[in-house]
Amino acid sequence: MKDLYNYIERINAAFWTRVVASTRQNTESISIFRIIFGLFLLTVWGPNYGWLSNMPQFYFDPPILSVANLFDDFPDKVLLLSIDFILVACGLAITFGIYARIAGFAFIFLGIFATNFQFSFSKIDHSVLVYATLACFSFSEWGTKLALIPDRSRKKNRNEQALSLLAIFVCFSFFSAGLEKGFWWSNFDMNTSGTVRWLYDCFYGVRRQHLLASAVIHTLPFWTYKILDFIAVAFELSPIFFLVRSRLSWKVWLLAACIFHLINTMVLNISFVCNAIVYLAFVDYSRVYTFVSDSIRRRAPLFYVVGGLIVIALIARANQILSLIPADVIFIPRDEIVHFLYFSVALWVAVICVFILDFRFELLRAMRSPRHNGSGGAFGS
Amino acid sequence: MISVKGTILLFLLLVVPLCLTILGTEPYPAIILPYGGGSYRQQDQKISVSYKVVYAANRQGQWQEIDPVSFMKPIPVQYFPFLAATNFGFDSLVPSHRAKRVHRFLGLKKKDRQKDKRELTDWLRKRLASHQMQDSTIRIVTYTETIATDTRKLLSKAITDERLIQLH
């Protein structure tokens, strides 16, 4: 029995060692990521819930396994507006590093609480990885540097756990998406296709007919969709293998994920911009730490550009909250779908560029490392 | 590094909500992305697609298509198909047999919202009036289109379901 336990312990240790090696970043890097994450909350993905208070109470029908079921109705307007403003304040605190740890936990608690009510309309949205990212990093040291009121450094550094757990969450979320597809799509019946269902349901059912949707639906022959079925299943079930293989292969998968979202945005008009910030957590920002740190200290142009963006974002967010209209991106109303899609394309292209630069750097580093001189190679573990 | 116990706990935290989702009762929050594993079959190089369109009568009494984005504002448009599927909430979505079994097992019950029906009716009537429509009826039509998969031409378009919601 003891032998078995030791064996399991060894496997467990080997697994997490590989995951940590694939995802590890230093405190400087994740401090920069904290600023990017905060700006993302303020400008790109800022949920607000005040509008729910104006909904007919008949629509109050949250998922059966949800904390909202402890309530009888949509909450009061004052409560929801208070939550909206606190969420913005949390975004601001995370950006500036003002008790970032507490701000992170407050955002998770209030955001998830309020989101439960939004899912009363018979559909659960899947932006949970943003909360998972915040949860993981709120245990880390991301609030200890480049911060106005820094968090206290802990004796035990949890940066590695934060990134490892987040990587597992990303892998599992894709696994959950690919599992059912794997059962139903992986066959050689050339007259069925799951990709066709997504494409036609989006095009005709929800009228997502923008960008390349029409061109794709009117040009690709049916058999190409069958190939796409297999690619989609392989892509969604595979991230864990890339993660444990090596740091470089994990970055290859992340780059592929960004391209996957870009294609989905252009063809299915499903943008999933919230996932961009999740993938960006795995980029190594330590190379720009000195530049950012100096820019803040010397009050360089970057400092004023970001400061101006924050002021504009705060005004826009306050306006969106008080007008009781759900919003994501500042300046783009949610019902302006085409503008939002163009913005999403630009965002995914930018994220892809960041990953290409990061990948290039990792590749160079791997080639310079002594291990590369052996037989393992840059993609070996 | 995470211990064996921590790994087992993590595994349960991830897998239990996934199992509940597979059984038709997706909890929130849970680490899950959209799954949508269904597929379409082409028969004789043809494929059929169904979708719903919502109409209301204009001042002249003619049916006019409603733009879901502006009609349901501020409800985000991604919820529109689900609201249309439940006749704007007047019918409830029928849970699958698996979901019903899970609900029974866990002793879970959906709340009865009948008392708020009047408020919803008034809300929808106001929406129609603000769109310069008659505020008495909404018509939800399900169309089924048959499309040739080789030429991508529309072969036929038929009404396969039609419902009238009387708002009074």
Side-chain angles (χ1 to χ4, degrees):
Chain A
M1 193 68 188
K2 202 177 174 186
D3 283 349
L4 178 68
Y5 187 77
N6 286 340
Y7 177 69
I8 292 170
E9 216 166 36
R10 273 206 310 278
I11 289 180
N12 183 63
F15 173 76
W16 286 110
T17 305
R18 278 168 171 260
V19 175
V20 166
S22 295
T23 57
R24 181 186 288 132
Q25 305 291 352
N26 59 24
T27 305
E28 284 77 14
S29 176
I30 64 169
S31 301
I32 301 273
F33 174 67
R34 191 203 71 236
I35 296 172
I36 296 169
F37 192 96
L39 288 174
F40 192 84
L41 291 183
L42 291 174
T43 57
V44 179
W45 192 81
N48 60 323
Y49 304 97
W51 61 276
L52 283 169
S53 60
N54 278 353
M55 291 295 102
Q57 294 297 346
F58 192 77
Y59 280 151
F60 179 77
D61 187 20
I64 203 151
L65 289 174
S66 150
V67 287
N69 263 315
L70 300 173
F71 291 73
D72 288 326
D73 293 310
F74 287 119
D76 183 57
K77 187 188 276 183
V78 176
L79 174 66
L80 290 171
L81 284 177
S82 306
I83 289 175
D84 288 347
F85 280 110
I86 294 171
L87 290 179
V88 174
C90 289
L92 200 62
I94 290 167
T95 311
F96 286 124
I98 303 167
Y99 299 118
R101 207 169 274 151
I102 295 170
F105 286 124
F107 192 98
I108 295 163
F109 177 76
L110 293 173
I112 288 181
F113 169 76
T115 307
N116 274 285
F117 292 98
Q118 188 176 318
F119 297 157
S120 282
F121 303 101
S122 307
K123 179 182 182 291
I124 294 179
D125 294 334
H126 296 92
S127 52
V128 72
L129 281 178
V130 181
Y131 291 106
T133 307
L134 197 47
C136 292
F137 279 98
S138 293
F139 285 103
S140 77
E141 302 292 300
W142 78 341
T144 58
K145 294 196 172 178
L146 298 178
L148 274 181
I149 306 177
D151 288 329
R152 247 189 323 199
S153 288
R154 287 175 171 156
K155 276 182 194 163
K156 198 176 172 191
N157 186 324
R158 293 191 189 274
N159 294 349
E160 288 181 355
Q161 279 101 325
L163 280 151
S164 308
L165 274 179
L166 182 60
I168 295 295
F169 289 155
V170 170
C171 294
F172 188 82
S173 62
F174 272 88
F175 173 79
S176 73
L179 186 65
E180 194 182 329
K181 292 189 189 100
F183 278 123
W184 301 110
W185 294 14
S186 305
N187 59 59
F188 292 98
D189 180 351
M190 298 305 282
N191 287 319
T192 63
S193 169
T195 307
V196 163
R197 181 169 180 162
W198 273 93
L199 193 60
Y200 279 57
D201 279 355
C202 285
F203 194 84
Y204 292 101
V206 209
R207 311 281 179 90
R208 288 174 175 159
Q209 304 175 345
H210 312 289
L211 305 182
L212 298 181
S214 182
V216 168
I217 214 164
H218 289 110
T219 49
L220 288 186
F222 197 86
W223 59 266
T224 54
Y225 299 121
K226 195 71 205 174
I227 295 171
L228 291 174
D229 283 2
F230 281 103
I231 292 173
V233 170
F235 169 73
E236 290 185 341
L237 294 180
S238 65
I240 189 73
F241 302 109
F242 284 86
L243 177 65
V244 295
R245 170 89 180 132
S246 75
R247 190 175 175 85
L248 269 177
S249 65
W250 174 234
K251 298 221 166 173
V252 167
W253 186 86
L254 288 170
L255 180 60
C258 297
I259 294 167
F260 169 78
H261 285 298
L262 178 64
I263 293 169
N264 275 349
T265 306
M266 292 200 291
V267 177
L268 298 177
N269 298 168
I270 300 174
S271 64
F272 250 105
V273 287
C274 59
N275 274 18
I277 196 66
V278 180
Y279 306 145
L280 284 172
F282 298 100
V283 171
D284 182 1
Y285 302 99
S286 56
R287 294 185 292 284
V288 293
Y289 179 82
T290 315
F291 170 71
V292 173
S293 172
D294 284 352
S295 297
I296 293 170
R297 206 177 45 247
R298 289 189 288 108
R299 304 283 189 267
L302 177 70
F303 176 85
Y304 291 106
V305 168
V306 174
L309 180 67
I310 290 171
V311 171
I312 293 167
L314 287 178
I315 295 167
R317 282 273 174 250
N319 183 40
Q320 283 168 340
I321 290 169
L322 293 173
S323 59
L324 299 180
I325 290 172
D328 283 323
V329 185
I330 51 169
F331 308 127
I332 303 178
R334 202 161 183 162
D335 49 2
E336 301 230 354
I337 292 164
V338 179
H339 290 148
F340 179 70
L341 286 172
Y342 278 119
F343 170 82
S344 305
V345 168
L347 182 79
W348 281 117
V349 169
V351 173
I352 287 168
C353 291
V354 169
F355 268 101
I356 290 171
L357 287 173
D358 185 58
F359 182 77
R360 186 174 157 271
F361 186 82
E362 289 287 347
L363 191 64
L364 288 172
R365 191 159 64 180
M367 287 167 79
R368 280 195 209 112
S369 73
R371 209 171 47 179
H372 179 69
N373 298 329
S375 58
F379 285 83
S381 51
Chain B
M1 204 68 67
I2 292 169
S3 66
V4 175
K5 278 180 194 162
T7 307
I8 293 168
L9 186 67
L10 178 65
F11 179 79
L12 292 175
L13 271 174
L14 294 173
V15 169
V16 171
L18 178 64
C19 292
L20 285 167
T21 304
I22 291 168
L23 292 170
T25 311
E26 184 175 346
Y28 185 82
I31 304 289
I32 283 165
L33 283 181
Y35 26 95
S39 57
Y40 276 157
R41 170 175 287 280
Q42 69 161 355
Q43 271 176 329
D44 305 325
Q45 307 274 303
K46 286 182 283 188
I47 204 162
S48 293
V49 186
S50 294
Y51 58 93
K52 288 181 193 294
V53 178
V54 179
Y55 295 93
N58 61 19
R59 299 276 186 231
Q60 290 75 41
Q62 293 155 329
W63 290 116
Q64 196 176 312
E65 189 178 336
I66 297 173
D67 171 31
V69 175
S70 65
F71 183 69
M72 296 308 291
K73 203 171 179 178
I75 299 175
V77 71
Q78 73 259 30
Y79 301 125
F80 179 74
F82 298 89
L83 290 174
T86 58
N87 292 329
F88 288 95
F90 286 108
D91 298 342
S92 46
L93 276 181
V94 183
S96 66
H97 289 300
R98 282 187 303 187
K100 276 182 190 163
R101 277 210 293 268
V102 175
H103 296 175
R104 256 202 311 274
F105 178 73
L106 297 173
L108 300 167
K109 229 169 133 183
K110 283 267 178 189
K111 290 194 172 79
D112 181 16
R113 311 293 315 170
Q114 292 306 309
K115 68 182 170 67
D116 298 316
K117 220 170 190 170
R118 182 77 250 161
E119 187 199 4
L120 173 62
T121 305
D122 290 344
W123 187 78
L124 288 170
R125 289 181 69 161
K126 273 185 204 156
R127 304 249 115 192
L128 288 171
S130 70
H131 280 72
Q132 278 76 51
M133 301 283 186
Q134 292 180 22
D135 64 358
S136 54
T137 317
I138 293 176
R139 180 174 167 235
I140 302 177
V141 178
T142 306
Y143 290 103
T144 300
E145 288 189 357
T146 306
I147 299 151
T149 51
D150 47 356
T151 60
R152 261 76 69 182
K153 275 190 182 153
L154 177 67
L155 300 174
S156 67
K157 181 176 175 177
I159 294 176
T160 45
D161 189 38
E162 188 174 358
R163 286 175 191 200
L164 288 176
I165 303 172
Q166 303 291 347
L167 301 172
H168 44 65

